[in-house]
Amino acid sequence: MRFENLHDNTQKWIRAAVNEGHPAEAIIYTLHTDGHPQDINEAVYQYLQEIYPREQSPLIPDQLRSTESTRFAYDKEVQVLLTLDQPHVILFGDFLSSEECDQIVADSKPKLRPSTVINAVSGSYDTDNQIRTSYGSSFKRKENDLVKRVEKRISALTGCPEKHAEPIQILNYAPGAEYKPHMDYFDPKFSGNANVLAMGGQRYATLIMYLNDVDVGGSTVFPKIGLDILPRKGCALYFAYANQNGWLDHRTLHGGSPVISGEKWIATKWMRFDKYTGPLA
């Protein structure tokens, strides 16, 4: 659905809300609670992206706007394999060496536990086998020389200060394991997200690092934009979805498709607007 296909009264209401300065997410939420169909979001976001100034778009550091095919990240050069503007997605090659990937996996194995999801209503960390069926572990900031090096590399590449990023999380998916499509940001309209938002503000971007080649399956899927990223050892996937004005880009809905054969290992770094003060900081 496109904006111009919406009912005339709906178009007029949206234009008036924009002129009054209401943020994008508030407009979307009001339309949804008034009974409008979910697919209206696509049309509204298309319109808002066109008329809002740049500062209303997700935060994208200047170095990530570069059109160069390679970027320097602290101690090595990485390749740009794919870029997408709306939403902002970049796939980097050779972000981690094969040896670094193997070491991260080896260090994580003894610490694996069933993965949890944050309950947006209660704020608790729950194990939900209907949504997420992976095992995970994490590293404290600067836990060892490898973690220190990777954190500096992430900061240099993305522009996110190290203290604003959450500790590196490791996920392991066995055959059949998956993570159903979800958002990485915390929707403030759910009261249960207040505690995690207090730990450093909103998340604005994610970096997923692929630690092995998966035999079959295990891709990172973005169903709203038809994007499917196959896991390749050493690559890293960056995507942005928020800004400090409250813009939250629903098109970054993403998930980990089921692993069909072999297993999948990834490392994830979530970036916040303020200093992260939560667990393992």
Side-chain angles (χ1 to χ4, degrees), residues 166-181:
E166 297 180 35
I168 295 174
Q169 305 287 318
I170 309 300
L171 294 172
N172 173 232
Y173 294 81
E178 65 179 320
Y179 195 175
K180 295 287 180 63

Side-chain angles (χ1 to χ4, degrees), residues 32-50:
H32 179 67
T33 55
D34 284 348
H36 290 275
Q38 187 69 20
D39 62 1
I40 199 175
N41 290 5
E42 307 289 345
V44 176
Y45 266 97
Q46 169 228 333
Y47 173 70
L48 296 178
Q49 286 279 47
E50 292 173 357

Side-chain angles (χ1 to χ4, degrees), residues 100-120:
E100 288 173 331
C101 291
D102 293 344
Q103 188 60 55
I104 293 172
V105 169
D107 291 345
S108 301
K109 284 183 176 179
K111 303 189 291 182
L112 290 176
R113 299 290 185 273
S115 298
T116 59
V117 295
I118 297 175
N119 187 314

Side-chain angles (χ1 to χ4, degrees), residues 163-165 197 199-202 204 244 271-277:
K163 290 185 178 181
H164 286 222
L197 285 168
M199 296 176 185
Q202 183 64 270
Y204 69 85
Q244 290 174 316
M271 300 164 209
R272 302 265 193 141
F273 284 114
D274 303 311
K275 290 182 181 179
Y276 175 73
T277 59

Side-chain angles (χ1 to χ4, degrees), residues 100-243:
E100 288 173 331
C101 291
D102 293 344
Q103 188 60 55
I104 293 172
V105 169
D107 291 345
S108 301
K109 284 183 176 179
K111 303 189 291 182
L112 290 176
R113 299 290 185 273
S115 298
T116 59
V117 295
I118 297 175
N119 187 314
V121 176
S122 67
S124 61
Y125 292 78
D126 300 338
T127 301
D128 190 335
N129 291 330
Q130 299 301 312
I131 298 176
R132 194 179 198 184
T133 51
S134 61
Y135 281 73
S137 64
S138 57
F139 292 101
K140 294 180 181 179
R141 282 202 192 125
K142 302 181 180 180
E143 183 168 320
N144 55 45
D145 289 341
L146 174 55
V147 170
K148 289 179 186 178
R149 184 167 67 250
V150 172
E151 288 177 333
K152 288 183 179 296
R153 198 177 294 165
I154 293 170
S155 181
L157 183 66
T158 67
C160 179
E162 291 181 48
K163 290 185 178 181
H164 286 222
E166 297 180 35
I168 295 174
Q169 305 287 318
I170 309 300
L171 294 172
N172 173 232
Y173 294 81
E178 65 179 320
Y179 195 175
K180 295 287 180 63
H182 60 281
M183 302 296 193
D184 277 356
Y185 57 73
F186 305 112
D187 195 326
K189 71 173 177 278
F190 294 111
S191 60
N193 285 331
N195 288 337
V196 290
L197 285 168
M199 296 176 185
Q202 183 64 270
R203 288 175 178 170
Y204 69 85
T206 296
L207 186 77
I208 298 174
M209 296 160 275
Y210 299 100
L211 304 178
N212 74 315
D213 293 323
V214 181
D215 294 341
V216 184
S219 62
T220 304
V221 297
F222 292 81
K224 288 186 176 292
I225 58 174
L227 182 62
D228 199 338
I229 302 295
L230 300 176
R232 289 294 178 263
K233 189 176 185 179
C235 290
L237 179 67
Y238 175 93
F239 53 99
Y241 38 75
N243 74 6

